[in-house]
């Protein structure tokens, strides 16, 4: 080691002036660099495959088990002549997007154990860029998963929604998932525990998924559950996505879903940015 | 006038009820090394975290490289490097990717970042491992990558928090040489350590922390002088002469004590001539001496002495 040090010790010299050599990257560069850092995880496809497994199973099972749902009066009244798979896929797209938000929290909790985060805190770097990088990575990963789901449903299960509508539904799911993910990112910066994050995620997501219009039309739910499902923000997203895919889009659920997701994003960002500064 | 690169003025840091750093003042001149010595929980890491803008101060003020750590944190961050107790590297990235990442965040272009990464990989003898993931690195290699990451932006002040903990002796010596080179080039270093030999070798000035407060500071020599005096230590060749030797030394005006276990007679040396006095007395009594030495107090003595004292 000694010899190499002596020959190249020039490079260790601090700059003579008090001005540092570099002034710190612009915020957008920071975000790009942080996103690139997170995206390197995509080189390992196991995470994506694992995360895909559950929605694929749910899509396959539910499309068979609940097929007879189309015979019920509630379904026929609200969705006359609609195949169950066409009714189900947009909902699975939304629930998968929201589940991915939950995974974001676990992923960040894991990343927070990475020593390099400590270095960032003592650098001219906004810790918000770490969070944004993480959430953009989640959006990319989610986009891959949702596309695979839609293609599998079309090829294997006979899904026949409108193409542009389905793409729009995926885009909405990505936005909703992104918004919700900020709540979980904020939680992760304060809890800092992967297991706890997964438990919290499960507890929050499962009731939201089932007490909603995702698998059964609202009118097909028992009275008290219908009330819950009506105020469940996930129902707005499901209704909006379904409207897009079936070509019966209405503006109200779309605006509700996007608005709530945006609000979650802002609230989550504020708390996450504060939480992540703690070493 | 001395230019101070680290100025700490009555800084305290509390976590709820716990006071981790309690009214510490510290001044580090440019191009020197100050060693923060203390056991676990003495507040060393907390102080480093405050000075490197990772933690906000509770009270008091501190300047690093001439900028206030609270009001001008961004300026401070552009001028410092921090190597913490646990390697702050991304184990999922390769060594090269780690260095490029940090350089890009500091504002280097892609090309500059790759150049700087290659330079530092060479300096730290990591070129062969450059494209391996950092998680495959040994402890010493991770430490070197960690230090290399801290040096990317040519920092004026470097914080080294227990940099050699867990390293093997060769890696330790290598790291010391790097630090010495940095200092020779004008970098200012604040080093925390539990190892007295490390502080003794690297630090121009030592500050001893205990329970968040400064309990002693000065050069290694000054600290040693504070604790006890030097001693004259004698080993007689024939154990039968021990009594005779004690008598001869006492008559010469010394106050010898016999340590049976180590078979050594020692006497505090109050004057610089005491060694000569002992030699003459033993010679006059015809006692054959196996070993005779004037021993300096070690930093261990300083350390143990200060930490044994109840915190005021």
């Amino acid at each position: 080691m000694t010899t190499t040090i002596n020959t190249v010790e020039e490079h260790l010299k601090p700059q003579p002036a008090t001005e540092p050599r570099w002034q710190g990257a612009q915020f957008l560069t920071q975000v790009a660099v942080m996103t690139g850092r997170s995206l390197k995880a995509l080189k390992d496809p196991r995470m994506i495959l694992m995360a895909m497994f559950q929605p694929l199973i749910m899509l396959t099972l539910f499309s068979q088990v609940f097929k007879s749902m189309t015979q019920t009066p509630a379904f026929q009244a609200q969705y006359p002549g609609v195949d169950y798979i066409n009714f189900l896929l947009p909902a699975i797209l939304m629930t998968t997007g929201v589940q991915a938000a939950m995974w974001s929290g676990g992923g960040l909790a894991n990343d927070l154990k990475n020593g390099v985060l400590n270095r960032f805190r003592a650098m001219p770097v906004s810790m918000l860029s770490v969070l944004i990088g993480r959430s953009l990575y989640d959006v990319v990963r989610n986009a891959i998963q949702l596309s695979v789901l839609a293609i599998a449903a079309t090829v294997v299960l006979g899904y026949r929604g409108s193409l542009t509508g389905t793409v729009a539904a995926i885009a909405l799911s990505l936005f909703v998932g992104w918004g919700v993910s900020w709540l979980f990112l904020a939680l992760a910066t304060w809890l800092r525990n992967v297991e706890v994050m997964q438990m919290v995620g499960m507890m929050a997501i499962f009731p939201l998924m089932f007490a909603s219009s995702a698998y059964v039309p609202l009118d097909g739910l028992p009275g008290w559950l219908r009330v819950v499902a009506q105020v469940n923000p996930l129902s707005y997203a499901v209704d909006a996505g379904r409207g897009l895919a079936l070509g019966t889009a209405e503006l109200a659920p779309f605006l509700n879903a996007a608005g709530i997701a945006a609000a979650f994003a802002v609230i989550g960002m504020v708390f996450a940015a504060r939480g992540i500064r703690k070493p | 006038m001395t230019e101070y690169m680290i100025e700490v003025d009555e800084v305290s840091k509390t976590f709820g009820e716990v006071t981790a750093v309690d009214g510490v003042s510290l001044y580090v001149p440019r191009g020197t090394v100050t060693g923060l010595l203390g056991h676990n929980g003495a507040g060393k890491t907390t102080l480093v975290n405050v000075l490197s803008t990772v933690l906000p101060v509770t009270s008091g003020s501190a300047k690093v490289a001439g900028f206030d750590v609270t009001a001008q944190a961004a300026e401070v961050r552009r001028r410092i490097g921090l190597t913490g107790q646990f390697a702050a590297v991304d184990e999922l990235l390769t060594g090269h990717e780690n260095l490029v990442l940090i350089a890009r965040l500091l504002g280097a272009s892609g090309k500059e970042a790759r150049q700087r990464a290659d330079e530092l990989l060479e300096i730290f003898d990591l070129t062969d491992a450059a494209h391996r993931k950092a998680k495959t690195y040994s402890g010493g290699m991770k430490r070197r990558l960690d230090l290399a990451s801290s040096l990317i932006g040519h920092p004026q002040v470097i914080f080294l928090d227990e940099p050699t903990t867990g390293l093997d002796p060769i890696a330790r010596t290598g790291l010391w040489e790097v630090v010495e080179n940095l200092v020779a080039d004008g970098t200012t270093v604040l080093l925390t350590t539990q190892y007295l030999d490390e502080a003794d070798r690297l630090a121009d000035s030592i500050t001893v922390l205990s329970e968040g407060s400064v309990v002693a500071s000065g050069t290694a020599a000054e600290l040693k002088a504070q604790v006890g005096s030097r001693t004259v230590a004698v080993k007689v060749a024939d154990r039968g002469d021990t009594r005779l030797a004690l008598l001869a030394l006492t008559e010469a005006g010394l106050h010898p004590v016999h340590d049976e276990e180590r078979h050594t007679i020692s006497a505090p040396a109050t004057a610089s001539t005491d060694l000569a006095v002992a030699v003459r007395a033993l010679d006059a009594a015809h006692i054959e001496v196996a070993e005779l030495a004037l021993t300096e107090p070690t930093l261990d003595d300083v350390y143990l002495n200060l930490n044994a004292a109840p915190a005021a």
Side-chain angles (χ1 to χ4, degrees), chain A residues 5 13 23-24 37 114 119, chain B residues 78 90 106 146 154 181:
Chain A
I5 290 163
K13 281 189 180 164
Q23 290 296 328
R37 168 178 173 266
N114 190 324
R119 178 175 299 288
Chain B
R78 289 191 182 115
D90 192 331
L106 287 175
D146 194 15
H154 304 271
N181 275 316

Side-chain angles (χ1 to χ4, degrees), chain A residues 1-26 29-34 36-37 40-41 43-44 110-111 114-125 129 277-279, chain B residues 30 52-55 74 77-80 82-83 87-91 93 97-98 101-108 112 116 119-120 122-125 144 146-147 149-156 174-175 177-178 181-182 185-187:
Chain A
M1 211 164 152
T2 326
T3 49
T4 39
I5 290 163
N6 289 339
T7 52
V8 279
E9 70 182 11
E10 283 290 301
H11 300 299
L12 284 175
K13 281 189 180 164
Q15 299 298 291
T18 44
E19 275 310 291
R21 175 164 173 190
W22 295 303
Q23 290 296 328
Q26 296 296 310
T29 311
Q30 291 177 28
V31 170
V33 171
M34 293 296 185
R37 168 178 173 266
K40 290 223 163 72
K43 279 188 195 161
D44 183 359
N110 197 36
D111 203 16
N114 190 324
V116 79
L117 270 278
N118 271 329
R119 178 175 299 288
F120 295 157
R121 291 191 187 95
M123 284 176 61
V125 165
S129 69
R277 275 232 62 94
K278 294 201 301 178
Chain B
R30 181 192 276 274
S52 57
T53 76
V54 172
L55 287 174
R77 287 175 191 150
R78 289 191 182 115
R79 291 167 174 85
I80 62 170
L82 170 64
T83 295
V89 300
D90 192 331
E91 303 207 336
L93 301 181
E97 285 169 343
N98 261 290
L101 173 78
I102 301 299
R104 294 282 284 131
L105 289 173
L106 287 175
E112 287 174 320
R116 184 75 181 136
E119 277 169 25
L120 285 163
E122 197 187 334
I123 294 168
F124 285 91
D125 202 16
R144 261 140 59 203
D146 194 15
L147 190 53
S149 306
S150 305
L151 298 180
I152 284 175
H154 304 271
Q156 292 156 10
L175 208 129
E177 281 166 6
V178 171
N181 275 316
L182 286 168
D185 291 336
T187 309

